[in-house]
Amino acid sequence: MKFFIRRAVFYVITAWAAVTLNFFIPRLLPGDPVQSLLSRYQGNIDVNAVKSLRVLFGLDSQKPLWQQYFDYFGQLFHGDLGISLQSFPTPVSEIIGQSLPWTIGLVGMSTIIAFVLGTLLGIVLGWHRGTKWDALIPLTTFFSSVPYFWIALIAIAVFGVNLGWFPLSGSYSPDVMPGLNMSFIASVCYYSFLPALTIVISSIAGWILGMRNMIVTVSSEDYVTVAQAKGLPESDVMFHYAARNAILPQISGFALSLGFVVSGTLVMEQVFSYQGIGYRLLQATSNNDYPLMQGIFLIITFSVLIANILADIVYALLDPRTRKEA
């Protein structure tokens, strides 16, 4: 119980620190978001509305900074992330709500597929080291060192331009009506195949190499030798004894990967013009949309924290020693 209480206190403090940084950093950046908005809509927004806009964006200079700080926390507790500058007057929460499912669906599923396949292949390669399976190691090492955007460009050139099998950009066909219908779902899967393939190919190699190295290390432990001496089936020893302990570091890495799923593979979404949260973040940065950047950073931070909480729980269940040491 002490283990979970300590971890809970740690994550509460971390969340508070993240929200505090998220409040102060945009206010320390150069430039004035309100003036940027006025210059963008010059002639359409009354200059006398500057004060109202500053109040709307939580930048009222008449309020002391500490009061703005507590007002910001109050807005967060009510789910108010502010108003987007580039899409004024659309709320930030609405923009994130439209983009987040695309990133979670694409990057999330691709990350899970890469983790599962990479971990299973890593177990087999590590357990059967010194055999013909080792021929896959140079290939995995090569893909682990190749930038994922380079793989994306090659996939577009080969399967999109030369063969014409898949579209070059977009999230779904403009000819279909969005909704829970087979035409839209099939179009989404068709358009997301190349981005998903890019993510799986570029990330699976790391999971394979990491799991293989852990299996090689764990397979020389005494409890594995004893299990083999008892005459247990090889598959039971490989999965129930060696893999169960070797997978612990993979769990931590997988939790971090799931946390960063929300940020999306930013360059990948840019290459494929995929309307995920990473693509929105790049647009917000280019247009100095501070409220949208704040909202996206906050969502990313809390996603990482939640993923780490789940990793701690799974880690404690798989390895009781962590609870005892705590």
Side-chain angles (χ1 to χ4, degrees), residues 129 214-228 241-242 245:
R129 61 192 181 278
M214 288 304 303
I215 285 291
V216 170
T217 302
V218 169
S219 60
S220 60
E221 296 290 338
D222 292 339
Y223 58 86
V224 176
T225 304
V226 171
Q228 291 174 321
Y241 287 84
N245 291 276

Side-chain angles (χ1 to χ4, degrees), residues 39-61:
S39 63
R40 185 175 304 160
Y41 295 96
Q42 192 170 8
N44 296 326
I45 296 181
D46 190 354
V47 181
N48 296 325
V50 173
K51 183 177 179 180
S52 299
L53 288 173
R54 291 191 179 280
V55 174
L56 180 63
F57 290 113
L59 300 171
D60 188 4
S61 58

Side-chain angles (χ1 to χ4, degrees), residues 29-104:
L29 292 175
D32 188 340
V34 175
Q35 291 298 330
S36 175
L37 178 64
L38 289 174
S39 63
R40 185 175 304 160
Y41 295 96
Q42 192 170 8
N44 296 326
I45 296 181
D46 190 354
V47 181
N48 296 325
V50 173
K51 183 177 179 180
S52 299
L53 288 173
R54 291 191 179 280
V55 174
L56 180 63
F57 290 113
L59 300 171
D60 188 4
S61 58
Q62 295 182 356
K63 282 186 178 182
L65 193 60
W66 64 267
Q67 189 172 351
Q68 296 181 34
Y69 178 70
F70 285 108
D71 288 345
Y72 178 66
F73 267 91
Q75 291 177 351
L76 291 182
F77 280 119
H78 288 88
D80 183 7
L81 298 177
I83 305 296
S84 171
L85 290 175
Q86 65 179 10
S87 303
F88 184 84
T90 307
V92 169
S93 57
E94 182 177 332
I95 296 176
I96 294 177
Q98 294 172 352
S99 304
L100 197 57
W102 293 95
T103 296
I104 292 177

Side-chain angles (χ1 to χ4, degrees), residues 169-190:
S169 62
S171 307
Y172 60 91
S173 174
D175 299 330
V176 299
M177 182 67 66
L180 293 177
N181 55 78
M182 290 304 299
S183 299
F184 178 70
I185 294 174
S187 179
V188 169
C189 295
Y190 177 59

